[in-house]
Amino acid sequence: MPIFRLGTRGSPLALTQAHMVRDALAAAHAIAIDQIEIVPIRTTGDRIQDRALAEIGGKALWTKELDRALLDGEIHAAVHSMKDVETVRPADIVIAAMLPRADVCDRLVGADSIDALRHGAVVGTSSPRRAAQMRKLRPDLKIVLFRGNVDTRLAKLAAGEADATLLAAAGLDRLGRHDVGTAIPINVMLPAPAQGAVGIECRAEDPHSRAMLARIDDPATHACVRAERALLAALEADCHSPVAALATIEGAIMTLRAELLSEDGSVHVHAQEAGAPTDPALPIAVARDLLIGAPEAIRRLFGG
């Protein structure tokens, strides 16, 4: 009988990430991997693929079924891509651990570079951030909705539904697709908050699971993602909000940089602050810097 049950979405990437967590737990606690059961749970976000996430309930569509299974005791913990987890979480659920962060970049699939896309090229994405950033860089591009897992989006691209699409490098690498796409430098496209991070949640009042998961937590990743998510909270950002952010740590200093954009990418604002990794004032300061003096086209999308 397994002693620990991990809930996950059922996509190939989600299952791969759940296996990463299982293997890390088994190694950290010196137990056999068959002592940890992976429990696939189909979410509403997986079932509905023809509409933008923001139109049908936001990021909660990736988490609510896993939350229910967690709170009902069907699973001990739930594995998430942290960029898909809504900013405000239930009080009785805690983010207990994060694996070491992977490549945070986006990759362009279908062209060697953004500049190489033909005039008026069609780019498929479901991300307001990516759509706005691409429109900022190339106002001539046509953006169309692309939903689905990695294989689904690559199949749509192969079928000619778009000239190019954008995918997270971390997901491609975890699926062994190291040669797919061209990396876009972060100084060209800053990533989504929490991109590249795998988080594991459990019940707040479950000391055994919290202790199990604490052994695999990467403190630097956790601190950076916590700061990026705190920035989202300070901005009152939601799934409609084109926002990019990345926290990095060097020595004892965290640098948090962020970008807000109008939906059409024609207006954008950047901010950057540095401070202690544990300083809760850092993301608030970045949010303040972004919103002070931001044009109305941006402020109406956020908490300003």
Side-chain angles (χ1 to χ4, degrees), residues 26-290:
H29 294 278
I31 57 177
I33 59 172
D34 61 7
Q35 293 292 289
I36 302 168
E37 181 182 0
I38 293 174
V39 183
I41 296 171
R42 195 169 189 211
T43 68
T44 305
D46 292 312
R47 289 195 296 271
I48 302 173
Q49 297 290 330
D50 60 346
R51 283 171 284 169
L53 199 65
E55 296 177 2
I56 54 174
K59 291 182 178 181
L61 296 179
W62 298 130
T63 58
K64 65 180 182 179
E65 285 88 357
L66 285 160
D67 290 351
R68 180 200 54 76
L70 191 57
L71 295 174
D72 288 350
E74 296 173 17
I75 56 176
H76 294 94
V79 181
H80 298 288
S81 291
M82 284 307 303
K83 73 172 182 176
D84 294 333
V85 177
E86 65 269 32
T87 308
V88 178
R89 300 293 289 130
D92 40 8
I93 291 176
V94 65
I95 302 169
M98 292 189 203
L99 298 184
R101 199 172 199 170
D103 189 345
V104 300
C105 289
D106 289 308
R107 285 197 201 145
L108 179 68
V109 185
D112 291 336
S113 68
I114 295 171
D115 288 342
L117 288 164
R118 65 175 177 82
H119 184 83
V122 177
V123 177
T125 182
S126 62
S127 161
R129 170 193 64 90
R130 286 171 175 155
Q133 287 174 322
M134 290 298 283
R135 288 174 174 134
K136 177 187 78 171
L137 296 165
R138 289 282 305 274
D140 60 293
L141 297 175
K142 179 183 179 183
I143 308 298
V144 299
L145 178 67
F146 255 34
R147 287 277 318 279
N149 62 37
V150 170
D151 286 333
T152 298
R153 284 181 276 175
L154 290 176
K156 289 181 178 181
L157 186 64
E161 294 185 27
D163 296 299
T165 190
L166 296 151
L167 294 167
L172 289 168
D173 287 346
R174 288 172 183 145
L175 290 170
R177 311 277 182 85
H178 306 278
D179 57 344
V180 172
T182 301
I184 304 174
I186 59 172
N187 64 337
V188 176
M189 284 185 68
L190 199 63
Q195 186 154 310
V198 173
I200 311 98
E201 293 186 324
C202 69
R203 294 183 298 281
E205 300 301 324
D206 181 356
H208 172 69
S209 294
R210 293 185 74 158
M212 284 276 292
L213 295 169
R215 294 279 294 274
I216 64 169
D217 184 46
D218 183 73
T221 297
H222 209 142
C224 289
V225 173
R226 185 185 299 115
E228 293 162 21
R229 287 172 57 80
L231 171 70
L232 289 175
L235 291 168
E236 299 178 25
D238 59 23
C239 282
H240 296 274
S241 309
V243 54
L246 179 65
T248 54
I249 297 175
E250 279 194 42
I253 300 297
M254 173 185 284
T255 300
L256 176 60
R257 51 190 145 168
E259 178 184 36
L260 307 184
L261 305 100
S262 61
E263 291 175 332
D264 65 2
S266 63
V267 182
H268 48 92
V269 60
H270 297 260
Q272 178 174 311
E273 296 279 355
T278 56
D279 185 359
L282 180 61
I284 295 171
V286 175
R288 178 202 62 216
D289 293 347
L290 288 166

Side-chain angles (χ1 to χ4, degrees), residues 2 4-10 14-23 33-41 75 77 79:
F4 203 77
R5 290 165 61 84
L6 284 174
T8 177
R9 289 169 56 199
L15 289 169
T16 295
Q17 292 174 166
H19 281 87
M20 290 166 56
V21 173
R22 179 202 64 183
D23 293 351
I33 59 172
D34 61 7
Q35 293 292 289
I36 302 168
E37 181 182 0
I38 293 174
V39 183
I41 296 171
I75 56 176
V79 181

